[in-house]
Amino acid sequence: MGKSIIWRFIIIAIILGAWGYSIFPYKDKPFYPQFETMAENKDETFTKLIAKAEDLQKENKLLTPSFAILNAAKQQQIQLNKYFTVPMQEEPANEQIIDYIRHKCQGKLKLGLDLRGGTEFIIGFDKNNLPKNRDVLDVRDQIIEILQNRINEKGVVNAEIKATGDTSISLRMPTVGEDEKHIVRKLLKQTAKLEFRIVHDKNAELVNNYNKDSENFKNPAGYERCMMEDKVDNKTVYRQLFLKIRPEPVRGEDLENARADIQQLGGFKVNLTFNTKGAKDFGNVTTKNQGKRLAIVLDGTPYSAPTINSPILGGSAEITGNFSATEANRLAIVLKCGKLPVSINIDSEFGTDPTLGRDSIKSGTLSILAGFVAVVVFMIIYYMIAGVIANLALLANILLVLGTLTIAGATVTLPGLAGIVLTIGMAVDANVIIFERIREEIQKSKSIGTCIRTGYDRAMVTILDANITTLITALILFNYGTGAIKGFAVTLSIGIIASMFTALFMTRTLLDVLVYKDMIKTLKMLQFFKKPSIDFLKKSKATKIVSIFAIIASILIVGIKGDKALSVDFTGGTALTYKYAKEIKVSQIKKALKQSGLLDVRVGYKYAANKSDKLLEIVLPQTSTNKDGFAIENVGKNLNTAFPEMKSKHVQTNSIGALIGRKFKKKALFAMVLSIIAIIIYISFRFEFKFAIAANAALLHDVLIATGIFVFTGGQLSLTVLAALLTIIGYSLNDTIVVFDRIREDLGLLEDKSYKEIINISINETLSRTILTSLTTLFVVVILFLFGGGAINDFALVMLIGVLIGTYSSIFIASPIVAFWHSKEEKTS
């Protein structure tokens, strides 16, 4: 026992230490100090390098420190590997060294647009350059989809992209550092036109002739001269290639996958895989051109030109070059997401404030902390020593979630926080299930060691079932969802695994230590219900009628409201931009405009790249009206009436598209349907088919009623509300599975009882756990609702409704459906 505890403590310490270390530094470090700190063998040349870089920045204000160093090193022909040791198999190039230092400067904890703000890129294209037979709006929507995939390929970056005109697109993303902005600009503007072109058989002779007399040299018919970057003895050189102008018939559209990989001698490459058609075409090209060199060209630039020694029939190729890890990954993402139908330009850039508003974030943060403290205090009061252990596990759970998010490079957003709130609830719930099981064993007058061991054994099955069903949903949402849905799924998946580790492994270890050291003889706990014996199934006859009425009413409310129930995230709308003299709190502006009759107003501040122009942006959905009818002049008048010191002046009006487009809706709906099917399959396998139907019925019941009540109170469906509804799904499912697990267990133990009696007993046995879990979650949600403000208030309201209805449905909806189904089976048998 002693050695086992020591090893478990070592495992816990290593995991928590590693994950805790991964969070720091949570803020970005300045580049120059980090560059100088990491350098070795510094000399006069090194000092001149930094001085030259600073001079280049003075000449070009947009040049970032890292790119200034790169340019200075290139001009002065300095190899940075003289001063830096980078963990690579061969001597790294300057770009790879700078990429490594840049990575060391990055803060680990990244906040999203809603929590920190970021950068808005206004992207445009020329409609005169459209491909033949293509509609301008169709091309614009394709560009939006490709850019969305490039920026958010893994679902961990909080980006907002929408149309702001026929040929204009707004992309907002949480970029903070200038280096990151530079990389994003390259990522956006790259067309990703992939071509395979044959190198002239007499390339060396042509290069020699060109070098002798470049002015009189003429390219061979059908060929053009291109430059390819290469590396020789760790120095960058440029090689001339005479490439056939007409590319080979292998289309970039037939590319199935592209991924970055490490080369044998160090550095990085990009592996390409084609679909069946692409593989066939590539095989034909390499068969026909054996012995020749085939250049891989992206956007007109050749990256590599290997000799075709034999036909390549497997449908794979690789792009080698002087790539850093970041460059190779970026190139792979660009290729995988497809070619832009037309070249694009970045017309302008703006810095943006947090979309939730700084005042809402401050109050929301304080509210979450207050709610968390309330949970901690309650657990100590109710469970005493066991509560202290549960709180330690809860802190470890949060550390593991945040640590994993930073390791994955994820952006923390409000939907992500929704996932964290749910996982905190599930972590508390797991401990409550365990402690209630231990209490049952203590009441049987067993030794404390036996009680703890038996309590964990019996609770484990319940916890696994509850968490696995939610994890299945999260994985499906990640694979088939987009945007906020994907971000929520990532956080939820991480949280589920973390909560199982802390509840089943960490708390067990801590309790075993107390038993081993003979520090506890029993575990004292408070108890809400001694031995409840409520006939819930009898009461469910009335609750069924209430639920059916509530569902019908909810559907009618949403149907009657129609588009008015949808926020600008779904409908698009109008963005009004104002210059101003004095900044007013976002919450105050929203309140003033709401009092004047304008509904669902989005308010935010943004500023030009040089920070000279500070602007106020007010976004109204297409459905917004005021008592005089929609008029731009009314918004400006209302602003200046409420805040004369602001001196707002209207400067621009734009129509904007929805953040949640048709494809997003289809994917979200598909993900939800697939989740329901997966839940039915899993619960049918673990329980019975009727349990699966009952669980999904309770889930749909909770979401429909929560949506109806929220819309009835004047709320509008947005990405924030969507995050809350997803949280309710997880919460409802977890709650229902716990009750079902006890029913399954009691069916094997209470053979002398009827089916309905067993269901009633099971609900009563889990009643304390149900109330406790709801109560601890409500501590956080109620405080958020009362003091959160803004969009956080909407999130908290939906969660508040959802927690109450979820608790109700697990008792009065899910279990009675199982009982009703069983009685039907008995009658037909």
Side-chain angles (χ1 to χ4, degrees):
M1 181 72 171
K3 287 184 178 179
S4 168
I5 291 173
I6 291 170
W7 276 111
R8 280 187 279 166
F9 256 111
I10 291 171
I11 293 170
I12 292 167
I14 291 172
I15 290 174
L16 294 184
W19 263 249
Y21 176 78
S22 70
I23 297 174
F24 298 97
Y26 64 92
K27 289 173 65 178
D28 289 347
K29 297 177 182 177
F31 185 84
Y32 281 128
Q34 185 69 16
F35 183 78
E36 293 192 66
T37 301
M38 292 178 65
E40 303 167 356
N41 308 316
K42 288 179 277 191
D43 54 18
E44 187 178 348
T45 304
F46 184 83
T47 306
K48 288 180 179 178
L49 172 68
I50 295 178
K52 179 62 177 175
E54 290 172 340
D55 288 341
L56 290 174
Q57 277 196 282
K58 289 175 184 176
E59 295 170 13
N60 182 359
K61 300 292 183 184
L62 295 177
L63 199 62
T64 65
S66 66
F67 285 99
I69 290 285
L70 265 179
N71 290 351
K74 186 174 183 180
Q75 290 182 21
Q76 297 181 346
Q77 297 186 339
I78 297 172
Q79 296 300 316
L80 295 178
N81 57 34
K82 176 182 177 182
Y83 304 106
F84 296 92
T85 303
V86 176
M88 298 185 71
Q89 291 182 4
E90 63 169 11
E91 291 296 320
N94 286 355
E95 290 83 358
Q96 293 168 321
I97 291 170
I98 291 297
D99 189 52
Y100 180 74
I101 299 169
R102 201 184 280 139
H103 178 73
K104 291 292 184 182
C105 290
Q106 289 177 350
K108 300 295 180 64
L109 195 60
K110 299 177 182 177
L111 300 180
L113 279 168
D114 45 5
L115 300 176
R116 186 173 182 175
T119 302
E120 179 181 30
F121 299 92
I122 304 299
I123 299 161
F125 62 93
D126 188 347
K127 62 181 178 183
N128 296 317
N129 294 331
L130 296 182
K132 288 183 180 180
N133 303 319
R134 289 292 300 273
D135 177 68
V136 65
L137 298 182
D138 179 46
V139 169
R140 182 200 66 190
D141 291 345
Q142 185 184 354
I143 292 171
I144 288 174
E145 182 183 347
I146 290 171
L147 295 184
Q148 177 72 60
N149 290 334
R150 285 186 185 182
I151 295 297
N152 197 24
E153 195 234 354
K154 294 181 180 177
V156 295
V157 177
N158 168 229
E160 291 182 359
I161 185 165
K162 60 196 174 191
T164 54
D166 289 355
T167 61
S168 181
I169 296 165
S170 165
L171 169 66
R172 292 188 179 188
M173 60 182 301
T175 54
V176 181
E178 287 300 323
D179 285 334
E180 193 176 359
K181 290 180 189 176
H182 184 93
I183 292 167
V184 170
R185 290 184 199 110
K186 289 182 70 175
L187 186 66
L188 294 177
K189 294 180 71 175
Q190 201 159 0
T191 307
K193 184 181 180 182
L194 180 66
E195 295 175 330
F196 293 85
R197 294 162 63 180
I198 295 295
V199 180
H200 198 286
D201 292 341
K202 297 180 179 179
N203 189 75
E205 183 180 328
L206 290 169
V207 170
N208 187 45
N209 292 338
Y210 175 84
N211 290 337
K212 284 180 179 178
D213 188 4
S214 60
E215 290 185 8
N216 297 314
F217 181 86
K218 289 185 179 181
N219 290 333
Y223 286 82
E224 66 176 344
R225 189 177 69 92
C226 298
M227 302 299 290
M228 181 178 73
E229 186 178 302
D230 200 358
K231 191 171 77 168
V232 177
D233 297 329
N234 200 39
K235 291 183 179 180
T236 300
V237 297
Y238 291 91
R239 299 192 184 280
Q240 300 176 60
L241 294 176
F242 286 87
L243 304 181
K244 188 182 284 188
I245 295 173
R246 186 175 180 177
E248 298 304 305
V250 181
R251 304 188 316 157
E253 289 84 346
D254 292 325
L255 188 67
E256 192 171 74
N257 194 19
R259 61 182 178 84
D261 203 356
I262 300 174
Q263 299 187 83
Q264 286 185 349
L265 298 176
F268 289 84
K269 63 182 178 180
V270 178
N271 289 325
L272 308 177
T273 307
F274 292 97
N275 60 22
T276 304
K277 183 181 180 304
K280 182 180 178 182
D281 291 341
F282 194 65
N284 291 337
V285 168
T286 54
T287 300
K288 187 174 67 175
N289 294 285
Q290 285 187 69
K292 296 183 178 181
R293 292 175 68 191
L294 182 67
I296 301 174
V297 182
L298 183 66
D299 294 337
T301 301
Y303 279 84
S304 55
T307 300
I308 303 170
N309 295 317
S310 60
I312 302 172
L313 305 176
S316 62
E318 63 181 37
I319 304 176
T320 58
N322 195 15
F323 299 131
S324 67
T326 300
E327 288 170 331
N329 276 310
R330 176 174 57 81
L331 183 58
I333 289 170
V334 166
L335 286 167
K336 193 166 15 176
C337 294
K339 182 182 75 172
L340 288 172
V342 65
S343 296
I344 62 174
N345 297 307
I346 297 174
D347 296 333
S348 57
E349 292 180 24
F350 295 95
T352 66
D353 274 358
T355 54
L356 292 180
R358 297 189 184 279
D359 43 344
S360 292
I361 292 169
K362 185 177 180 180
S363 59
T365 303
L366 292 173
S367 298
I368 289 174
L369 288 173
F372 182 76
V373 169
V375 171
V376 167
V377 171
F378 175 80
M379 290 295 286
I380 292 173
I381 292 172
Y382 193 86
Y383 283 114
M384 303 178 194
I385 292 175
V388 173
I389 291 172
N391 287 332
L392 291 173
L394 192 57
L395 289 169
N397 190 75
I398 294 171
L399 177 67
L400 290 173
V401 172
L402 290 177
T404 308
L405 287 173
T406 57
I407 291 168
T411 303
V412 180
T413 64
L414 184 60
L417 288 177
I420 293 174
V421 168
L422 178 56
T423 57
I424 288 172
M426 293 179 75
V428 171
D429 181 48
N431 284 298
V432 168
I433 292 170
I434 292 166
F435 295 158
E436 291 300 313
R437 285 290 196 173
I438 291 173
R439 183 206 303 277
E440 291 173 12
E441 298 304 314
I442 289 173
Q443 289 171 350
K444 297 175 185 177
S445 301
K446 297 179 181 178
S447 68
I448 187 61
T450 303
C451 292
I452 290 172
R453 184 172 60 255
T454 307
Y456 271 91
D457 290 345
R458 293 194 171 182
M460 182 177 289
V461 176
T462 306
I463 293 169
L464 287 175
D465 277 333
N467 281 280
I468 288 171
T469 47
T470 311
L471 185 60
I472 289 170
T473 305
L475 293 176
I476 290 172
L477 290 176
F478 175 77
N479 279 303
Y480 297 99
T482 56
I485 290 180
K486 220 167 192 177
F488 172 84
V490 169
T491 311
L492 180 57
S493 301
I494 294 167
I496 289 169
I497 295 168
S499 65
M500 285 196 286
F501 170 78
T502 56
L504 296 174
F505 188 78
M506 182 176 168
T507 59
R508 174 72 183 270
T509 302
L510 294 173
L511 285 171
D512 282 349
V513 170
L514 295 178
V515 173
Y516 181 72
K517 294 291 185 180
D518 203 25
M519 296 172 70
I520 55 171
K521 299 295 182 184
T522 187
L523 286 174
K524 294 182 179 179
M525 311 171 190
L526 299 180
Q527 191 171 6
F528 280 143
F529 307 101
K530 294 293 182 182
K531 284 188 177 180
S533 56
I534 304 167
D535 191 344
F536 288 105
L537 292 185
K538 187 176 181 181
K539 297 178 185 296
S540 69
K541 293 176 181 178
T543 58
K544 284 176 189 173
I545 297 170
V546 173
S547 290
I548 291 170
F549 173 79
I551 289 171
I552 293 171
S554 295
I555 294 171
L556 288 174
I557 288 166
V558 175
I560 292 168
K561 288 262 187 178
D563 286 347
K564 290 183 179 180
L566 302 176
S567 76
V568 68
D569 291 345
F570 285 89
T571 65
T574 304
L576 310 176
T577 307
Y578 297 87
K579 285 187 176 181
Y580 61 92
K582 183 181 179 181
E583 187 172 313
I584 304 295
K585 283 185 177 181
V586 168
S587 58
Q588 292 179 341
I589 294 175
K590 283 185 176 181
K591 185 177 180 182
L593 292 176
K594 192 171 184 179
Q595 286 174 349
S596 68
L598 286 163
L599 304 175
D600 186 42
V601 181
R602 299 287 176 87
V603 180
Y605 289 101
K606 64 182 188 178
Y607 44 86
N610 57 10
K611 298 195 177 181
S612 57
D613 291 332
K614 295 185 177 181
L615 304 170
L616 170 70
E617 186 178 71
I618 297 175
V619 181
L620 303 102
Q622 292 175 350
T623 53
S624 278
T625 59
N626 61 18
K627 52 193 173 186
D628 301 319
F630 174 74
I632 293 170
E633 294 79 9
N634 289 339
V635 178
K637 288 176 183 177
N638 292 336
L639 276 177
N640 287 322
T641 301
F643 312 106
E645 70 277 19
M646 196 174 187
K647 296 178 183 178
S648 62
K649 181 182 178 182
H650 177 251
V651 293
Q652 192 176 26
T653 300
N654 284 325
S655 289
I656 61 171
L659 282 174
I660 302 173
R662 283 175 296 175
K663 190 162 186 179
F664 181 101
K665 293 173 188 174
K666 285 181 181 178
K667 279 194 169 184
L669 184 62
F670 180 73
M672 293 304 301
V673 171
L674 205 60
S675 297
I676 289 171
I677 293 170
I679 291 166
I680 289 172
I681 293 170
Y682 180 80
I683 297 178
S684 297
F685 174 73
R686 291 290 294 145
F687 298 86
E688 292 178 47
F689 180 69
K690 57 176 171 276
F691 285 85
I693 297 301
N696 280 296
L699 186 153
L700 292 172
H701 165 278
D702 297 348
V703 171
L704 286 173
I705 295 178
T707 303
I709 294 174
F710 177 72
V711 171
F712 178 74
T713 59
Q716 290 186 310
L717 301 179
S718 64
L719 282 172
T720 301
V721 175
L722 180 63
L725 291 173
L726 289 170
T727 310
I728 289 170
I729 289 172
Y731 185 88
S732 173
L733 198 56
N734 186 71
D735 221 16
T736 302
I737 292 297
V738 171
V739 177
F740 283 179
D741 200 81
R742 184 58 72 100
I743 294 172
R744 179 179 58 185
E745 181 182 332
D746 286 344
L747 283 170
L749 296 174
L750 307 174
E751 295 180 358
D752 58 327
K753 302 288 184 181
S754 69
Y755 202 89
K756 287 187 176 181
E757 285 177 321
I758 289 173
I759 289 177
N760 264 324
I761 291 169
S762 299
I763 296 173
N764 279 286
E765 285 176 341
T766 56
L767 190 59
S768 286
R769 171 261 153 207
T770 301
I771 300 300
L772 281 168
T773 302
S774 300
L775 197 59
T776 50
T777 308
L778 284 172
F779 283 146
V780 179
V781 173
V782 169
I783 294 173
L784 264 179
F785 174 67
L786 293 175
F787 306 107
I792 293 174
N793 186 270
D794 288 345
F795 169 78
L797 176 58
V798 178
M799 278 294 299
L800 176 61
I801 298 166
V803 170
L804 294 173
I805 294 174
T807 304
Y808 160 87
S809 69
S810 64
I811 296 172
F812 293 107
I813 301 299
S815 299
I817 287 175
V818 172
F820 175 76
W821 194 306
H822 182 77
S823 64
K824 287 286 186 182
E825 287 176 344
E826 283 186 331
K827 288 179 183 179
T828 55
S829 61

